[in-house]
Amino acid sequence: MFNRIVASARPQYRTVARLTQRDMPLQIAGILLVCGLCWSVGHPRVAMAVFAAVIAGEVCLNQILRRKTLFHALDTDRVILFALILCSINTVLYLFPALYLAQDPSLAVKITAMMWIMGVQVYLANTWSRVPTFLCVMLLPAMMMMVIAFFVLRQSAPLSSTTTQWGVAAGFLVLFLYSSIDTLRQHLTTEADLFKAERESKQRLAQLEESHRLDTLTGILNRRAFDVALDVMLEDRNLTGGEITVFLVDLDSFKPINDTYSHEAGDEVLIQTAERLQALIGQSGIVGRLGGDEFVCAVHDLGDTDGIMEYGVAIARTIARPIHWNARSLKIVASVGAAATGGGHLPSVQALCSAADQAMFAAKSSPSGAPVLYQPHLFAPRMTAENKQLLIESISDRSLKPYYQPKIHLPTGQIIGFEALARWERGPNEIHLPSEFIDQIDELGLQGDLMMSIANQVVGDINTMLNAGLDPGQVSLNVSEVALATYSGRQDLKNIVADNPDAAKHLTFEITEDVFIARAADTIQASIASFRELGVRISLDDFGTGFASFHHLRQLDFDELKIDTSFVAGLGHDPTAEVLVRGFLNIASGLGVSVVAEGVETQAQSRDLINMGCITAQGFLFSPAVAFAPACQQLQDQKTTLGAL
């Protein structure tokens, strides 16, 4: 029971402390007055004892609520419990002199006693109404004292009172009326303040709700608000007719601007892009920002396919106008995808936006960069809910697993390591390459889960090889931006490495240059440095195909450089490819890092690489990626052959 009472009073703690401190002078003055009257009618000992007890109780209550001296170590619940007890006792003490006044034969004194009890009750009801638990604790004893005083009145027949006694009674009447009016005024003031606070709170809540509707940087609708607004447009369409077209816009060249000129430049690009889209669309539709550098628009009645495409081109041209920032002219290129309701098709917000998203990605991949309109017969259907669940389960049950492509020492033909490549085993003879499921992994946001699953399996396979007496060499693992740019991803991967120190010596993390285009480039560099400290080698994958390669060579500490397949494929018939490969080898030699050539498919390519000084390669000439057991067999066969020599 006490626990329930304390729990109900806990939210009232601050209010009680404030009221007690505020009214302490008034309460001391009141008890001094009533005790003085009690003294004057012949009860000096009672008056002195009650006054001393009330003063002690008030001081103690004040000290407890402020947690002073002896009470500083008390927790909140104990403070509240003691405060409730003291408030109840103090109420009885305040009213106790009234019992002796009620026994007095003077009618004026009897009336004074009852006015004092009623006055205290009025004060309690008005002042403590906002703290109901404390009000009940004090009002109940006050009501009991009222009942007791009522029966005490009859112990002596009322007699005529002196003028002085009636004067005192009149004074108490004035005090009672003043106290009632003052406490009522304070109550009304408190109510007014609470009403004002509630009104201001509602205004702030409305402002907060409005801010939650708008993107904080650009001031246009955020994703959630856009979805709601588009849903309203679709409902209106069902009643009034007409068609709605959704355009999804992605700024292709935004990340290099952010990386090169600063985040302030990137923010200015986003702000001006939003302003341009808003000005172009005006009252004919709505504009929102999905996040990052993606925007979305919904427009009424653009007509047929030609009208939609013309509007898409207008959006692209509007965004492509140079943006001036700090005396620089920043140029932005946008990929635009569109999807229309089309006489009943794609009626939902999710379906329209998903279709526009697919069209946008098609536009991004298009050589012309022209806007693309979603047409169902031209786009492969997206994964069903069943297939999505299957993909999630495949990561969990490890049917998505690493296959191992050997890395070969070209002069001897020996295996000196592997690259772990993800494969999805959906059946005994059904193996899917990453190109067949990686888009779905990205769509479901499972990049981190997939990478951690593959990393755990690779480390386990390395330990198995070592325990079998096999030397796996350096096993490369592709590491995504998720693991490098986020604290949780980095920690998960570091835990795997730290828990397997023997395997860590054989691990190489492959990263691509594209991860440095993200805002978290500094974090990524710090992550790479921390992995190198744990003994993991770092390989720069697909070198020469990304942005600002030589700039990153200056910033990044790495151990290996991988020449991309596109350069190796040109050897023997493209002089430019040979020049570039020689240049990469010279760079690696100057930096003191090793080189691996990818995608070697012919003996001629192998000879050319050896002649240019490249001694490590991988590709279908030597072996495709194979499952763990065949990879172990390859090492075992090599070990047997070398042992026989």
Side-chain angles (χ1 to χ4, degrees), residues 3-293:
N3 290 335
R4 288 200 299 271
I5 294 175
V6 170
S8 66
R10 193 179 298 123
Q12 307 163 14
Y13 174 77
R14 293 185 181 276
T15 304
V16 171
R18 179 177 58 82
L19 288 175
T20 302
Q21 189 172 2
R22 185 195 72 181
D23 291 351
M24 187 175 180
L26 176 64
Q27 291 164 352
I28 292 176
I31 195 62
L32 180 61
L33 181 62
V34 75
C35 285
L37 180 58
C38 187
W39 183 306
S40 68
V41 297
H43 304 286
R45 292 181 179 179
V46 173
M48 292 176 61
V50 169
F51 182 75
V54 168
I55 295 299
E58 286 294 334
V59 172
C60 188
L61 178 62
N62 189 269
Q63 293 291 304
I64 287 177
L65 290 172
R66 297 173 65 185
R67 299 189 185 183
K68 296 290 186 179
T69 59
L70 299 175
F71 310 107
H72 70 277
L74 293 178
D75 58 42
T76 301
D77 284 355
R78 288 187 176 273
V79 167
I80 292 173
L81 181 59
F82 288 152
L84 286 167
I85 294 172
L86 278 174
C87 284
S88 178
I89 293 173
N90 283 354
T91 302
V92 174
L93 289 173
Y94 271 111
L95 299 177
F96 192 73
L99 298 182
Y100 286 88
L101 297 178
Q103 294 176 15
D104 194 89
S106 171
L107 178 60
V109 175
K110 290 180 180 293
I111 292 173
T112 302
M114 299 308 292
M115 281 195 297
W116 175 253
I117 296 175
M118 289 188 292
V120 170
Q121 291 189 35
V122 170
Y123 162 78
L124 292 176
N126 285 336
T127 303
W128 295 83
S129 61
R130 284 289 170 177
V131 281
T133 304
F134 278 80
L135 176 61
C136 291
V137 166
M138 292 185 286
L139 202 55
L140 286 175
M143 295 170 67
M144 291 174 59
M145 295 295 285
M146 169 73 83
V147 174
I148 295 171
F150 180 80
F151 285 102
V152 169
L153 286 173
R154 60 189 294 272
Q155 291 183 5
S156 60
L159 300 176
S160 298
S161 305
T162 65
T163 303
T164 302
Q165 289 174 332
W166 281 112
V168 171
F172 267 84
L173 177 60
V174 172
L175 182 62
F176 171 73
L177 293 174
Y178 172 78
S179 176
S180 298
I181 294 171
D182 186 62
T183 52
L184 180 59
R185 178 186 60 80
Q186 291 185 16
H187 180 71
L188 293 175
T189 301
T190 302
E191 289 292 331
D193 290 341
L194 289 171
F195 176 76
K196 181 180 178 182
E198 290 175 359
R199 183 178 61 190
E200 291 176 351
S201 176
K202 289 180 180 178
Q203 290 175 347
R204 287 194 297 270
L205 181 61
Q207 292 172 353
L208 184 62
E209 289 176 348
E210 181 66 17
S211 68
H212 282 178
R213 291 183 64 251
L214 302 179
D215 177 62
T216 54
L217 177 64
T218 62
I220 59 178
L221 297 176
N222 60 26
R223 182 169 198 149
R224 182 177 180 182
F226 180 87
D227 288 348
V228 172
L230 179 56
D231 188 55
V232 172
M233 290 177 66
L234 292 173
E235 288 180 1
D236 292 343
R237 168 184 174 264
N238 292 334
L239 298 174
T240 61
E243 303 300 339
I244 296 171
T245 304
V246 171
F247 294 92
L248 200 144
V249 181
D250 181 82
L251 307 184
D252 298 331
S253 49
F254 175 73
K255 288 184 178 179
I257 286 178
N258 229 2
D259 195 42
T260 304
Y261 296 112
S262 78
H263 297 168
E264 287 77 10
D267 289 345
E268 184 63 24
V269 167
L270 295 175
I271 292 170
Q272 291 203 31
T273 299
E275 291 175 351
R276 292 177 180 183
L277 288 172
Q278 192 72 67
L280 174 67
I281 291 173
Q283 300 300 315
S284 62
I286 55 176
V287 181
R289 181 184 174 204
L290 299 183
D293 56 355

Side-chain angles (χ1 to χ4, degrees), residues 248-250 252 294 335-338 355-365 372 379:
L248 200 144
V249 181
D250 181 82
D252 298 331
E294 284 191 338
S335 295
V336 180
D357 185 54
Q358 292 184 65
M360 183 274 292
F361 275 104
K364 190 181 288 290
S365 304
V372 173
F379 287 81

Side-chain angles (χ1 to χ4, degrees), residues 298-374:
V299 186
H300 287 286
D301 299 324
L302 293 178
D304 57 11
T305 300
D306 292 338
I308 294 174
M309 295 303 292
E310 288 177 6
Y311 206 90
V313 171
I315 290 175
R317 287 176 178 172
T318 298
I319 295 174
R321 296 200 310 267
I323 293 174
H324 299 288
W325 178 82
N326 282 2
R328 295 181 181 275
S329 181
L330 307 178
K331 295 184 178 180
I332 295 292
V333 177
S335 295
V336 180
T341 49
H345 299 297
L346 301 172
S348 72
V349 170
Q350 182 179 0
L352 268 175
C353 292
S354 176
D357 185 54
Q358 292 184 65
M360 183 274 292
F361 275 104
K364 190 181 288 290
S365 304
S366 171
S368 66
V372 173
L373 174 63
Y374 177 84

Side-chain angles (χ1 to χ4, degrees), residues 613-632:
C614 180
I615 61 172
T616 308
Q618 65 185 83
F620 284 103
L621 174 64
F622 313 110
S623 172
V626 296
F628 174 64
C632 289

